[in-house]
Amino acid sequence: MGLKTRMQGFSLSKAVADSDDFAAKTITPSEQQADAFAPLLLKILSQVELEFKESIHSKLLDILDLSLISGIEEKEARKQIRAVAQKLIDEDSIPLNTQTRHQIIKEIEDDVLGLGPLEALLYDPTIADILVNGYKKIYVERFGKLELTPVRFNDDNHLMKIIDRIVSKIGRRIDESSPMVDARLQDGSRVNAIIPPLALDGPSLSIRRFAVDKMALDDLVAKDALTDYMADFLKNAAKSKLNILISGGTGSGKTTMLNAISNFIPNNERVITLEDSAELQLQLPHVLRLETRPANVEGKGEITLRDLVRNSLRMRPDRIVIGEVRSGEAFDMLQAMNTGHEGSLTTVHANNPRDALARLENMVSMAGLEMPVNAIRKQIVSAIHIIIQLGRLEDGSRRVISIQEVEGMEGDVITLSEIFKYQRRGINENGVVQGQYCSTGLIPKCMATFKQRGLAAELGIFTHHLS
């Protein structure tokens, strides 16, 4: 089934046929991957070219019945839109060079079917984050460094249309009464949007890219994010059903680490994942994924992460994996870890392991329960076994900064034992952080658990420098 036309005398089939040569010349996403900002993307349309593009776009909407677009494969829909746009450009006889013509048609395709100017960036596998600061400024993070791109939207309305398209596809909304929203793209990329009156300089959009290539612990070792010995220790911790808390700042690789460790959960276990915006990629046969839901227009129907944690306990999980704890759900999570759901994993935003525990303590307080601080800390000590601290360094590299074991309490203070750490030495002339991974000489108590589970680990790795 094709797109219906509303203009008499326009031959869609003829236009499609005429577009075959153009299709061969259009820069494809795979070609854009070869060069992050291909020549097609480097050109910013002049005001005259922009007005011409808008005119062609408007005429195209008059010709095509886009209400039927959902019933057509995207490849075919793009072909027909490209054909009509090319025909309209030919009819207007505007003098455009080949590159500008291709760019205008490609931008119209992306505006109608995709995410407009962001489409080209989403096809670049080296980009980790896309940050839209108003319609004129679009930054990307590549290899841990931010850079300004030549890509831009036409105006605030253009940007708002793309934001609306993103959030509406998953049943969420954004407007003046609800000016902030978390969403995700079809590929799993995480999206946050905020608009005026909260965003003073116009609509803002942040996209955390979904990793197509799933990173395993061995891949992280190859990237020097940790050592073989540290990876083996974490593998044994997962297999031994230790509860693991992954701590780190924004963009430090917490979700990547959680995904990598989860690979060592036995295949015969039932795992339930709970997230505000689904992005985990657990490669296990028995995974049930749950996601929170915001309130509707009337302010009803909200399902919080705490609601999901409580409900998951009735679903016979062997392990519970929470994408990130942020509030009162921390109390329910600790309760679950202390009542037979061992081997659970979660992440928290914190700069060091001690801060991670303090944040957990504060979040338990948000549950609205009158619990003494000492009682909260005892819950934490009983529930959390291992803390992995991640960091993103100045050179853009992401590393495991520390692996610590929660030992117990001395008075009112939770005691921690550092097992492995990254010892930083400085920065070389190229701006690369220098350092080495080393053990601290302490033998963790969890070695007894490893032994009970039949998991071997050489004691020597805890008493020598590792790299």
Side-chain angles (χ1 to χ4, degrees), residues 122 128 130 166 183-192 206-211 277-279:
L122 289 169
I130 300 172
I166 292 171
R184 67 177 184 277
L185 303 181
Q186 288 182 334
D187 68 355
S189 296
R190 187 171 65 189
V191 179
N192 176 269
S206 303
I207 300 176
R208 170 65 54 86
R209 294 293 307 283
F210 181 82
S277 184
E279 60 177 330

Side-chain angles (χ1 to χ4, degrees), residues 37-47 49-50 96-101 103-104 107 150-152:
F37 302 127
L40 175 67
L41 297 174
L42 289 172
K43 174 178 170 53
I44 296 177
L45 297 179
S46 68
Q47 186 59 37
E49 291 167 343
L50 195 59
L96 298 171
N97 61 42
T98 301
Q99 177 180 314
T100 302
R101 173 189 288 247
Q103 179 173 344
I104 287 175
E107 288 186 10
V151 181
R152 63 177 58 183

Side-chain angles (χ1 to χ4, degrees), residues 217 220-221 223-227 230-231 233-234 245-248 252-254 256-257 260-261 353 386-393 397-404 418-424 436-438 466-467:
L217 271 180
L220 296 178
V221 170
K223 289 180 174 293
D224 202 26
L226 72 167
T227 66
M230 295 164 72
F233 175 81
L234 296 180
L245 177 65
I246 301 171
S247 168
S252 58
K254 296 186 297 297
T256 299
M257 178 61 71
I261 293 175
I386 300 294
I387 301 175
I388 305 169
Q389 183 65 43
L390 305 178
R392 182 173 64 171
L393 307 184
S397 63
R398 294 168 172 83
R399 297 179 183 273
V400 175
I401 302 301
S402 177
I403 298 177
Q404 302 197 16
E418 189 167 44
I419 305 168
F420 303 110
K421 64 180 179 179
Y422 179 71
Q423 216 166 38
R424 178 170 170 154
Q436 68 176 3
Y437 295 101
C438 62
L466 304 180
S467 69

Side-chain angles (χ1 to χ4, degrees), residues 34 60 64 93 95 121 136 144 162 191 259 270 272 287 313 321-322 450 460:
L60 180 139
L64 299 178
S93 301
L121 304 181
K136 288 184 178 180
I162 299 302
V191 179
N259 280 321
R270 174 175 168 85
I272 298 180
V287 176
L313 298 178
V321 177
I322 302 177
F450 291 179

